[in-house]
Amino acid sequence: MDTANKKSKKTDAAAVAKNLRDFFVDGLKDIYYAEKALVKTLPVMFDNATDQKLKTAIKDHLAQTSEQVVRLEKVFESLGMKAEGKKCHAIEGIIKEGNEIMSETESGPVRDAGIIASGQKVEHYEIATYGTLAAFAKTLNERTALDLLLKTLGEEKKSDCLLTTIADTNLNSQAVDGKLQSKDLNAV
Ligand SMILES: [Fe+2]
């Protein structure tokens, strides 16, 4: 018997997903919790960031995340359910790591690079989750839910690309020694 099977024996039988729809709903609760946690976390990241492009990206993403919460409520509605969150341990861990990075760095390019790294971990988690949920919605023939989930998936992918661009443009090079400016690199 593998570890997963051993653990499942200890799980409350009522909480076990019996079919794909159960997994789908469970995943929706998980990401609903995660998005709401991010609505609280993004302002902290905004306050800690110094790069203007990064601050703007975080501010825009906060507005987008609030819309994504409402969009998830519409997904639940389309299934005839009331929106409900379930503690997402993954996002809690990613947020905790991000908070550690912010507390262990000084304000400036190095902390900004750390904020981007944390932000991209969040995005990749969300891309994986929304991708899976969209696939489940397609299999379950939940067309309204599928359209809503694909819209958010597209936004998360764009946010991830934007963070990569901000990091590549000059932030990571500035963070190499904590103060090097990209214009200095051009002079080399
Ligand atoms: Fe999101």
Side-chain angles (χ1 to χ4, degrees):
M1 188 183 286
D2 62 24
T3 313
N5 279 341
K6 274 184 202 160
K7 277 189 179 165
S8 70
K9 288 264 179 197
K10 292 177 193 164
T11 311
D12 176 5
V16 175
K18 293 184 182 67
N19 52 40
L20 192 66
R21 180 167 291 270
D22 288 349
F23 267 139
F24 181 50
V25 171
D26 199 63
L28 288 172
K29 289 179 181 176
D30 176 284
I31 198 70
Y32 186 62
Y33 176 100
E35 295 288 16
K36 287 174 89 167
L38 290 168
V39 168
K40 289 183 196 156
T41 300
L42 285 164
V44 180
M45 292 167 89
F46 176 87
D47 288 343
N48 274 271
T50 56
D51 181 83
Q52 272 315 309
K53 280 185 187 153
L54 178 57
K55 282 181 96 71
T56 303
I58 295 169
K59 193 175 157 203
D60 291 348
H61 197 57
L62 174 60
Q64 203 168 54
T65 302
S66 299
E67 285 172 22
Q68 291 170 350
V69 169
V70 174
R71 201 173 291 139
L72 279 170
E73 287 164 358
K74 286 181 186 165
V75 173
F76 279 103
E77 202 181 304
S78 77
L79 301 173
M81 297 176 71
K82 198 173 181 307
E84 187 191 336
K86 176 185 168 189
K87 187 167 184 172
C88 171
H89 297 286
I91 206 74
E92 290 276 322
I94 295 171
I95 289 172
K96 195 174 168 206
E97 276 188 13
N99 287 337
E100 280 172 8
I101 287 170
M102 288 189 281
S103 67
E104 290 166 1
T105 50
E106 286 184 14
S107 182
V110 175
R111 184 180 289 172
D112 283 354
I115 289 171
I116 290 183
S118 306
Q120 290 197 285
K121 283 185 187 179
V122 170
E123 292 311 325
H124 281 250
Y125 177 71
E126 292 190 302
I127 290 165
T129 303
Y130 279 110
T132 300
L133 289 172
F136 285 178
K138 190 176 174 191
T139 304
L140 294 165
N141 203 25
E142 293 290 353
R143 304 304 303 180
T144 305
L146 176 61
D147 289 347
L148 292 162
L149 293 166
L150 286 177
K151 189 166 172 54
T152 300
L153 178 61
E155 289 176 357
E156 305 295 12
K157 285 181 178 174
K158 272 189 191 162
S159 296
D160 181 50
C161 287
L162 178 60
L163 288 174
T164 298
T165 303
I166 293 169
D168 281 351
T169 307
N170 62 4
L171 244 181
N172 282 351
S173 61
Q174 289 178 35
V176 170
D177 67 0
K179 61 182 189 300
L180 183 66
Q181 302 296 311
S182 55
K183 60 181 166 58
D184 297 329
L185 278 178
N186 292 337
V188 173

